Amino acid sequence: MAHTQQARLLEPIAVRDVRFPNRIVISPMQQYAGTRDGRPTDWHHVHLSKLAIGGAGLIFTEALAICPEGRLTWSDLGIWLDEQVEPLARLAGAMAQYGAVPGAQINHAGRKASVQRPWDGFEPLTEADFAKRGDRPWPTVAPSPLAANPGWPIPRALGRDEIRRTLDQFAAAARRVRQAGFQALDVHGAHGYLIHTFLSPLSNARDDDYGGTFANRIRYALEVVDAVRSEWPADKPLFYRLSCVDDSEGGWTLDDTVALAREFGRRGVDVLDCSSGGLHKRTTTAIMPRIPGYQVPYAERVRRDTGMLTMAVGLIRDARHAESIVAEGSADFVAIGREALYNPHWPAQAAVALAGPERFDAWPPAYGWWLKMRDRVLLRSGLAR
Ligand SMILES: Cc1cc2nc3c(=O)[nH]c(=O)nc-3n(C[C@H](O)[C@H](O)[C@H](O)COP(=O)(O)O)c2cc1C
């Protein structure tokens, strides 16, 4: 395979005062392995260290809940207490030690909170889960009393004071992310969680100034960004994950995304992390079939129309495909999720595939030195890497 010495995917990029060694990002991925009080375990340490050794420029933690009721499951990680900072700082330190910029994602799960772990069914918790596993259900909240799916619990509509409290919780979470030493922050505004449900006309039926018109529906998201920016340092980049389109007709559209991105840009969001769907339990393929890079067109459109930096994500598995996304100007960052679970060294392997064996020098020497030697032997023997 011909090598591209100038692979754009491998070029460093600086956003505010943070320099990313390349454009490859590990997308936030919940592990459902936290303690009941929202703290990480050895699993998270191994998982994130392993990914950092794998050569990504930026790694996001899984969604960290800003309050206990904002968790999806009893195994989610949290950032609602000062005592949660120290164990998260250990994770950030491990990621940085192995060369990745450490990033954190913060979230409130809204009406999709209080569910079983995926492998227990991913359905709303009931008293049966409490009897079986000690997982007690809790009441969920949302902008309006509309269930995420037929048969799911109806969330309680947040009052204005409660909305204010969640904004304070987002701000406090951003402060703790800073105190833990993370260098990038992603606000989870996608996938049907609390912020997304304010944006979409399908989940927001409020008749106060948080509902109805576009300007009202985006109010909460803008307030979250302001709250987070008030605690997140001006020299550090802020990412925002958005569901750029809803998965049902009559919902949030790509034009809405472009309009919101412009507002975000003015308020200090640096990178739009372009995802989609999730308002309801199962995403459908009605709007965008699930093909490799299915969400790239959203990142491309936002980048072109707003001049904002974007991140593309979704079924990206091939190094040349990832390279083309950056080289063709569709996105500034490429995030991989499940592929990194399959192959934690995907970023480092992509670098070698795109730019040749010299790239083994960028691996930690405990691996890279040997692999470079092996590469020479294979080459001499006329064998492929
Ligand atoms: C195990 C798992 C956990 C996930 N957890 C999160 C999460 O905490 N926050 C988030 O924004 N997305 C989450 N996602 C979505 C991924 O970040 C990503 O957007 C999605 O998997 C599509 O990318 P992929 O095709 O490369 O996996 C999760 C995905 C997986 C597979």
Side-chain angles (χ1 to χ4, degrees), residues 53-101:
I53 292 169
L58 165 63
I59 300 177
F60 281 113
T61 63
E62 64 192 72
L64 309 175
I66 62 160
C67 55
E69 60 279 15
R71 287 179 282 186
L72 279 83
T73 76
W74 279 100
S75 308
D76 290 21
L77 297 188
I79 191 152
W80 62 82
L81 291 175
D82 288 342
E83 294 72 50
Q84 289 163 330
V85 170
E86 195 272 331
L88 291 170
R90 275 191 69 224
L91 297 182
M95 292 190 242
Q97 180 184 354
Y98 297 122
V101 172

Side-chain angles (χ1 to χ4, degrees), residues 7-20:
R8 297 287 312 279
L9 186 68
L10 310 178
E11 275 178 12
I13 180 172
V15 185
R16 297 193 185 236
D17 286 355
V18 175
R19 182 183 179 277
F20 300 90

Side-chain angles (χ1 to χ4, degrees), residues 72-290:
L72 279 83
T73 76
W74 279 100
S75 308
D76 290 21
L77 297 188
I79 191 152
W80 62 82
L81 291 175
D82 288 342
E83 294 72 50
Q84 289 163 330
V85 170
E86 195 272 331
L88 291 170
R90 275 191 69 224
L91 297 182
M95 292 190 242
Q97 180 184 354
Y98 297 122
V101 172
Q105 186 188 55
I106 54 175
N107 188 32
H108 186 307
R111 68 184 192 176
K112 286 174 87 176
S114 186
V115 293
Q116 301 158 331
R117 292 165 198 85
W119 37 88
D120 294 329
F122 230 0
E123 295 289 325
L125 289 172
T126 65
E127 288 303 324
D129 294 288
F130 182 48
K132 210 162 157 189
R133 302 182 199 92
D135 294 347
R136 194 189 277 282
W138 67 91
T140 57
V141 295
S144 302
L146 298 169
N149 297 288
W152 278 41
I154 296 180
R156 192 171 51 73
L158 287 168
R160 299 183 70 85
D161 289 351
E162 290 173 302
I163 290 178
R164 184 70 250 158
R165 193 171 331 128
T166 63
L167 294 172
D168 293 343
Q169 288 166 335
F170 269 111
R175 169 176 55 78
R176 295 188 188 107
V177 168
R178 163 169 57 81
Q179 289 167 339
F182 290 97
Q183 301 293 307
L185 174 57
D186 192 39
V187 172
H188 198 343
H191 302 169
Y193 300 126
L194 184 64
I195 312 177
H196 182 180
T197 51
F198 272 89
L199 294 181
S200 177
L202 299 175
S203 48
N204 181 345
R206 294 180 77 96
D207 56 12
D208 63 0
D209 53 2
Y210 284 101
T213 63
F214 177 78
N216 281 353
R217 281 182 283 111
I218 66 170
R219 189 178 310 282
Y220 182 66
L222 298 181
E223 288 178 350
V224 169
V225 165
D226 289 345
V228 165
R229 256 287 164 225
S230 73
E231 290 287 353
W232 185 241
D235 61 355
K236 292 199 170 43
L238 181 60
F239 290 60
Y240 186 104
R241 173 161 276 202
L242 185 68
S243 280
C244 294
V245 297
D246 273 339
D247 36 18
S248 314
E249 294 299 330
W252 184 258
T253 67
L254 195 51
D255 288 339
D256 292 335
T257 286
V258 170
L260 179 59
R262 288 205 176 96
E263 290 291 330
F264 278 164
R266 286 185 209 113
R267 287 162 189 261
V269 174
D270 300 296
V271 183
L272 201 74
D273 171 1
C274 295
S275 192
S276 68
L279 199 58
H280 307 290
K281 186 170 68 171
R282 313 241 179 267
T283 52
T284 70
T285 52
I287 293 198
M288 185 57 79
R290 292 283 186 270

